[in-house]
């Protein structure tokens, strides 16, 4: 469903590509392949990753630190 492609959840999950047989008419998606299927790149994911390795945390009001690696 085309409306689902506007969901911010796709950017949050870092969905980079969408495969479809339909045309996506949105500036957020760039056509990168047009054959049996169309492949669109989600330009909303070109920002820094939203999930990654964190070295500090807080639990129960106490701040902690873990070594990366």
């Amino acid at each position: 469903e085309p409306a689902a492609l506007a969901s911010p959840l796709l950017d949050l999950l870092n969905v980079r590509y969408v495969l479809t047989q339909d045309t996506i008419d949105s500036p957020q998606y760039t056509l990168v392949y047009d054959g049996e299927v169309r492949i669109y790149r989600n330009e909303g994911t070109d920002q820094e990753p939203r999930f990654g390795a964190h070295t500090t945390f807080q639990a129960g009001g106490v701040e902690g630190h873990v070594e990366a690696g």
Side-chain angles (χ1 to χ4, degrees):
E1 182 169 321
L5 294 174
S7 171
L9 187 58
L10 294 176
D11 296 339
L12 182 66
L13 295 172
N14 283 334
V15 173
R16 299 219 182 251
Y17 294 94
V18 175
L19 282 70
T20 182
Q21 292 180 329
D22 297 325
T23 299
I24 299 176
D25 186 26
S26 168
Q28 183 173 341
Y29 293 93
T30 302
L31 182 65
V32 294
Y33 178 79
D34 191 359
E36 265 185 51
V37 297
R38 291 182 176 112
I39 301 175
Y40 290 86
R41 181 178 46 243
N42 180 1
E43 302 298 344
T45 61
D46 286 345
Q47 301 171 12
E48 291 291 318
R50 289 169 175 74
F51 299 102
H54 296 279
T55 58
T56 60
F57 63 93
Q58 186 175 27
V62 177
E63 192 167 309
H65 178 79
V66 293
E67 290 186 32

